[in-house]
């Protein structure tokens, strides 16, 4: 399969949605959606897709890059003037064009609508449901990003020492991932130590690591646009108390239940419940206040969302999902263990392979 064919297939798939969306074209400007549809990686562009046209509008900085990266699209030279917006819409014929309601600001909406008599129809989602099903090449890219994360995470047992701050450990891990080839971080590295480990998305700060701390490390490398996401929880020192083991083994049992029993065809809620039931039965239901997981790809958090707070959807082969149960006890600390998985006909196949060795020997 050639490079171009993938983008032609994606264009066909998006055009097949027009009837459902009740539009006769769509304007795509969010970075991940336009990259997935066109291959273009620059910071500014809009795609205008109708049954007969596929236009990519971008400014002078990107004309050469767009021509090279997005040969399935016709380049429209756009210098961000009002007359360029008018000419862009005038290049196609349509009555109703969908736009990305979760990306376009109210200011941009007013500017675009003023440029054309075409009705702009806000759509809650466009290609996000299509992006859930990963191609073999996408899975390869995500696995490559996950492999870098694996190698860096495996260093934590050697790197984390009493006396260093959360920020110092986070920077060392970021540097390690860059040295291993990461283009950038998929998100800011999370290091949460001691009582801070009770905060699911703690931002690493000046707290000094101490013997006896639980330490949550949640991080991911990004490579060729694709992201990865993994969490491990550690104990600083050889003798954790009974509470640490109880909470650690509970989170692990919840994750194991999902990795063992989740199958394609189950819903997002059913899979979330596989973990949540284990934690609730142990009396810690109130201490698991977030969803079980999410898809990962060009975005760090993308569909599907395995959460009781989100709409129930089927989970099918080809998706990626994280499995990240957590137990957070205010004042004491917390444990989260996260594995990034590929959904296959057999079940959930982990893409992250770093072993779980919670004890940091000092
Ligand atoms: Zn994570
Ligand atoms: Zn995650």
């Amino acid at each position: 399969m050639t490079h171009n064919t993938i983008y032609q297939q994606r264009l066909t798939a998006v055009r097949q949605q027009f009837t459902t969306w009740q539009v006769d074209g769509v304007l795509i400007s969010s970075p991940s959606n336009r990259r997935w549809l066109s291959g273009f990686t620059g910071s500014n562009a809009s795609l205008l897709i109708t049954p007969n046209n596929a236009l990519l509008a971008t400014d002078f900085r990107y004309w050469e890059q767009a021509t090279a990266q997005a040969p399935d699209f016709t380049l429209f030279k756009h210098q961000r003037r009002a007359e360029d917006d008018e000419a862009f819409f005038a290049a196609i014929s349509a009555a109703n064009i969908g736009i990305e309601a979760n990306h376009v600001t109210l200011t941009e909406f007013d500017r675009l609508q003023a440029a054309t008599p075409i009705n702009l129809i806000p759509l809650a989602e466009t290609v996000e449901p299509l992006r859930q099903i990963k191609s073999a090449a996408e899975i390869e890219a995500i696995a490559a990003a996950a492999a870098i994360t694996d190698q860096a995470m495996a260093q934590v047992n050697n790197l984390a020492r009493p006396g260093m701050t959360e920020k110092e450990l986070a920077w060392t891990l970021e540097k390690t991932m860059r040295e291993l080839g990461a283009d950038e971080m998929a998100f800011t590295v999370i290091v949460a130590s001691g009582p801070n480990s009770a905060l699911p998305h703690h931002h690493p700060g000046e707290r000094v690591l101490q013997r006896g701390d639980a330490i949550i490390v949640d991080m991911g490398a990004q490579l060729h646009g694709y992201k990865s996401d993994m969490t491990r929880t550690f104990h600083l020192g050889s003798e954790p108390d009974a509470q640490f083991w109880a909470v650690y083994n509970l989170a692990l049992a919840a994750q194991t239940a999902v990795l063992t029993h989740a199958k394609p065809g189950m819903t997002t809620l059913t899979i979330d419940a596989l973990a949540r039931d284990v934690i609730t039965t142990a009396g810690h239901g109130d201490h698991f206040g977030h969803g079980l997981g999410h898809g990962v790809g060009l975005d760090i958090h993308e569909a599907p969302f395995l959460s009781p707070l989100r709409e129930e959807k089927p989970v099918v082969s080809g998706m990626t999902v994280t499995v990240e149960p957590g137990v957070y006890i205010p004042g004491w600390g917390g444990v989260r263990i996260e594995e990034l998985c590929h959904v296959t006909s057999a079940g959930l196949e982990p893409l992250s392979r770093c072993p779980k060795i919670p004890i940091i020997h000092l």
Side-chain angles (χ1 to χ4, degrees), residues 88-358:
F88 189 37
F89 286 112
I92 54 121
S93 77
N96 297 294
I97 291 286
I99 62 161
E100 300 170 288
N102 289 317
H103 177 72
V104 175
T105 65
L106 291 172
T107 306
E108 286 164 346
F109 181 84
D110 288 345
R111 193 195 83 222
L112 293 168
Q113 189 61 88
T116 179
I118 298 171
N119 296 314
L120 300 183
I121 314 288
L123 300 173
E125 50 184 24
T126 58
V127 301
E128 291 86 352
L130 303 172
R131 280 174 45 203
Q132 291 181 101
I133 310 298
K134 269 59 181 181
S135 69
E138 288 181 296
I139 291 296
E140 224 171 273
I142 295 164
I148 291 172
T149 314
D150 282 342
Q151 289 183 64
M153 190 70 89
Q155 301 285 320
V156 173
N157 296 76
N158 299 321
L159 293 172
R161 287 294 175 265
M164 71 196 302
T165 64
E166 294 175 342
K167 273 166 71 170
E168 284 169 343
L169 179 56
W171 169 241
T172 305
L173 292 169
E174 176 165 350
K175 207 162 47 162
T176 303
M177 283 190 277
R178 292 293 300 262
E179 284 166 359
L180 288 165
D183 292 331
E184 55 187 287
M185 298 299 100
F187 56 94
T188 304
V189 174
I190 294 171
V191 172
S193 67
N196 292 340
S197 63
L199 313 173
H201 268 191
H202 174 69
H203 197 81
E206 301 295 344
R207 187 181 179 279
V208 174
L209 306 187
Q210 295 164 27
R211 183 184 280 266
D213 279 351
I215 305 174
I216 292 178
V217 178
D218 186 350
M219 62 187 192
Q222 177 175 320
L223 189 61
H224 307 312
Y226 283 86
K227 301 185 194 300
S228 62
D229 191 6
M230 176 169 48
T231 307
R232 292 289 183 262
T233 299
F234 301 89
H235 183 273
L236 193 55
S238 313
E239 288 127 16
D241 59 14
Q243 169 97 318
F244 178 84
W245 280 127
V247 175
Y248 188 90
N249 288 330
L250 181 59
L252 188 60
Q255 189 187 58
T256 305
V258 178
L259 297 179
T260 310
H261 299 297
K263 294 280 178 289
M266 288 180 172
T267 71
T268 49
L269 289 191
T270 309
I271 295 176
D272 175 89
L274 287 172
R276 198 165 301 278
D277 288 350
V278 172
I279 293 172
T280 303
T281 302
H284 285 288
D286 292 344
H287 296 146
F288 178 23
H290 58 71
L292 176 67
H294 52 87
V296 175
L298 291 169
D299 288 325
I300 186 61
H301 295 126
E302 58 180 49
F305 295 97
L306 309 180
S307 167
L309 305 175
R310 306 289 284 249
E311 195 186 337
E312 183 168 23
K313 297 274 178 72
V315 172
V316 301
S317 288
M319 291 178 170
T320 57
V321 290
T322 65
V323 179
E324 49 181 306
V327 178
Y328 310 93
I329 300 176
W332 176 77
V335 170
R336 180 168 68 256
I337 310 172
E338 174 178 28
E339 220 70 279
L340 172 57
C341 299
H342 179 206
V343 183
T344 71
S345 55
L348 301 192
E349 185 189 318
L351 295 169
S352 44
R353 300 183 194 285
C354 179
K356 296 170 182 125
I357 305 174

Side-chain angles (χ1 to χ4, degrees), residues 15-36:
R15 284 168 173 145
Q16 284 168 349
Q17 298 297 314
F18 288 173
T19 312
T20 310
W21 297 342
Q22 298 182 293
V23 298
D24 36 17
V26 68
L27 180 73
I28 299 286
S29 48
S30 69
S32 297
N33 284 348
R34 73 176 180 234
R35 178 174 183 154
W36 185 83

